[in-house]
Amino acid sequence: MSLDTVLKHLSTPRLNVYCSSFSLSPEKDQEKLIFIYLAIQDLTSCFYPFFQLTEIALRNNIDTAMRKNFGDYWYKHLILNQETERNFNNAFTIIQDKKQNHSHDDFICEVTFGGWVNLLAPENRCADVDLDQVQEGLLDQVKSIRNFWSDNIDQIFPGREGKKLPEIFTNLKTINNFRNRFSHYEPLWKPTSRQSGRIATGSFVLSDKFEQALFFLNDKRQKTLAILKICSPEIHKKLTDDLKLVDHFDQKTAVYLAQWKRMNKKK
C-alpha cells in the first residue's frame, strides 16, 4: 500500500492538525506524517486503563461511603448544582429506558466521570454555605452533607497524602478534561496554554516538535497516574510495579524517539 493510499484512509481533516502542528507537508513529508500520527496514536492508547481505573475507583469509593452514610439512592439526599443534577438525572433516565426493574448499581454505572468529579464542587459539598443564611428546615441536611466530606475524605481518597478536597477537585477536573479529549479523539499531545507560553518565550528546552509532543503526553500521563494513586494506591501499585504499564509507555516513547531521530538523519 502506497503512502498516498494510507494518507487517504486517514483523511485530510484529521491530518491537518498534525501538518500544522509539526510543520509538515502532506505532499513532501508523507513518511514523517504517517509515522508521527501512528506513533502518537499508539502512545495515547496507553492512557485507556489509567482513565478507566481512575473513574471506577472514584465512583466506587464515593458510592460506598455515601451508601454507608445515607443509604441507597443517596443522591436524593444531596443538594446539587444544575450541572451535576442534570448529569444524575440523565443517568436515571437512561437506566429507566434500559430496564424496568433497575437497581441502584445499574444507576451508578450510568453516571459519567464528570458527574462523579463534580460532586466535589464546593456548592455540591455545601462548603461555601453560610449556615446562618440557610433557610429553616435545610440546616440539618446542609450540615450532614458538609460533614460527610470531612469525615470520609480518607476513605474516598486513601492516597491523598494530606491533599485537601479543593486541590483534589482541581486535579480531577484536569483529568476529566484529558479523558474527554481522549474519548472524542482530540489530541492529548498538544501543549496547554501555559506550555505554549513557555515555548513562545523560548523557555522550553525541547526545540523538536515531536519531542515536545512526547513530553506533553508524558506530562498528562504523570498527572493521570497521580490522581489514580490518590483514589487507589493499590491499583496504582499494581499498574506501576506489577503489570509494568508505566514502563511500557516509557519503552515505547524511547523506541519512537529513536526512530524519529534516525528518520531525520536521512538525506
Side-chain angles (χ1 to χ4, degrees), residues 63-194:
D63 181 51
T64 298
M66 285 284 189
R67 282 196 193 191
K68 182 178 179 181
N69 284 265
F70 305 125
D72 285 356
Y73 301 99
W74 45 260
Y75 49 89
K76 295 180 179 180
H77 177 84
L78 304 182
I79 302 172
L80 303 175
N81 61 23
Q82 289 185 346
E83 179 183 1
T84 311
E85 185 173 12
R86 182 169 58 251
N87 192 300
F88 274 69
N89 286 340
N90 287 342
F92 193 72
T93 299
I94 290 171
I95 198 61
Q96 280 185 314
D97 292 339
K98 284 184 177 181
K99 294 183 177 181
Q100 288 186 343
N101 298 317
H102 56 269
S103 67
H104 174 78
D105 288 332
D106 293 327
F107 167 77
I108 289 302
C109 291
E110 292 296 339
V111 177
T112 66
F113 186 28
W116 296 108
V117 171
N118 286 327
L119 281 176
L120 273 74
E123 57 268 35
N124 289 331
R125 294 186 286 110
C126 297
D128 299 332
V129 174
D130 183 350
L131 297 181
D132 293 333
Q133 301 298 319
V134 175
Q135 67 185 60
E136 188 176 352
L138 289 179
L139 185 58
D140 288 342
Q141 183 181 8
V142 169
K143 286 182 177 179
S144 67
I145 295 170
R146 179 182 289 185
N147 291 338
F148 166 81
W149 291 102
S150 60
D151 293 342
N152 292 275
I153 184 173
D154 289 322
Q155 285 69 48
I156 297 174
F157 301 109
R160 70 185 183 100
E161 297 179 340
K163 291 181 175 63
K164 305 297 184 183
L165 280 172
E167 180 182 359
I168 296 174
F169 174 55
T170 298
N171 292 340
L172 278 168
K173 290 281 282 186
T174 298
I175 302 309
N176 187 41
N177 179 53
F178 293 165
R179 186 259 190 196
N180 289 343
R181 291 176 64 180
F182 173 87
S183 299
H184 294 94
Y185 305 103
E186 296 178 15
L188 281 179
W189 48 265
K190 294 188 75 175
T192 63
S193 56
R194 177 178 296 182

